[in-house]
Amino acid sequence: MAQNPADRRPASSTAAAVGAQIRRRREQRGMSSAELARRAGLSKATLSKLEVGHGNPTIETLDALAVALRIPLTDLLARDTDPGPVFMPGTALPDGEVGRELLRRISSGNSLEIWRLRMPPGTELQGVPHANGTIAHLLVAAGHLIAGPSGSPADLHSGDLLAFAGDAPHIYRTGTHPADVTVVIASPIIN
């Protein structure tokens, strides 16, 4: 049987990104390909092609997948699949001015926890890995600390933001000064 020419074409970057999101979200939920295909009303072969970046899904197909995965359609179109680390240094603001900056957008399909972490000087905490797919976001309100993945922590100062995979070992360490940090933990919702 001759192979369809469309099956031999390399995946476009958009198709590959969408396919990666579908596969990632399905795996985060512990769902088999067969189960997702059934819930979305697709054949398993069609889902398989989409997950590897082949095919040309309609909006209706992507919407059916989003509903089956219980996420907004826009989550399937997001290209930001790398959990980081993402480092954003704090920015200066002239006296008397109001500053408003988007630091990080967190897609739906997550459970969010917001923590305030206050550490005295000379303190070290070993972070316990969270559930698979968890992203930790640190925003330093005051002070200085070394924090992030155990193998590659970042040097953080007041105003800095760090996002990293929270499902791996991580550390928080202060030097001679205390630190006041807002920690946002985004964990995938698994149903």
Side-chain angles (χ1 to χ4, degrees):
M1 180 175 183
Q3 187 178 24
N4 181 339
D7 292 340
R8 291 190 302 261
R9 264 184 294 159
S12 73
S13 62
T14 299
V18 169
Q21 284 289 11
I22 294 168
R23 183 176 49 258
R24 176 174 167 249
R25 298 305 181 136
R26 176 180 60 77
E27 290 172 352
Q28 285 175 338
R29 282 150 182 74
M31 196 181 296
S32 70
S33 298
E35 178 64 14
L36 178 57
R38 184 188 65 74
R39 288 184 184 192
L42 302 173
S43 72
K44 189 175 172 192
T46 297
L47 178 61
S48 178
K49 282 183 180 179
L50 293 176
E51 284 192 352
V52 297
H54 295 286
N56 188 13
T58 64
I59 292 294
E60 289 80 14
T61 298
L62 292 177
D63 188 53
L65 286 164
V67 169
L69 291 166
R70 297 183 179 160
I71 59 174
L73 174 61
T74 55
D75 280 11
L76 293 180
L77 304 175
R79 286 181 179 255
D80 182 20
T81 59
D82 183 0
V86 174
F87 174 71
M88 293 181 62
T91 56
L93 183 67
D95 287 341
E97 289 191 22
V98 174
R100 195 167 66 160
E101 299 173 79
L102 174 62
L103 298 177
R104 183 91 165 137
R105 178 169 281 124
I106 302 169
S107 66
S108 297
N110 289 289
S111 167
L112 297 179
E113 294 180 352
I114 301 172
W115 296 79
R116 182 175 182 192
L117 175 63
R118 290 178 280 183
M119 296 178 61
T123 304
E124 181 171 321
L125 295 175
Q126 296 293 322
V128 177
H130 302 282
N132 285 341
T134 297
I135 306 295
H137 302 78
L138 311 180
L139 177 60
V140 181
H144 168 253
L145 77 157
I146 304 293
S150 294
S152 60
D155 188 18
L156 305 172
H157 298 271
S158 182
D160 291 348
L161 170 83
L162 177 68
F164 61 92
D167 56 6
H170 48 281
I171 63 164
Y172 307 90
R173 182 183 324 127
T174 56
T176 57
H177 300 287
D180 190 345
V181 183
T182 299
V183 180
V184 178
I185 299 171
S187 301
I189 297 173
I190 300 175
N191 293 320

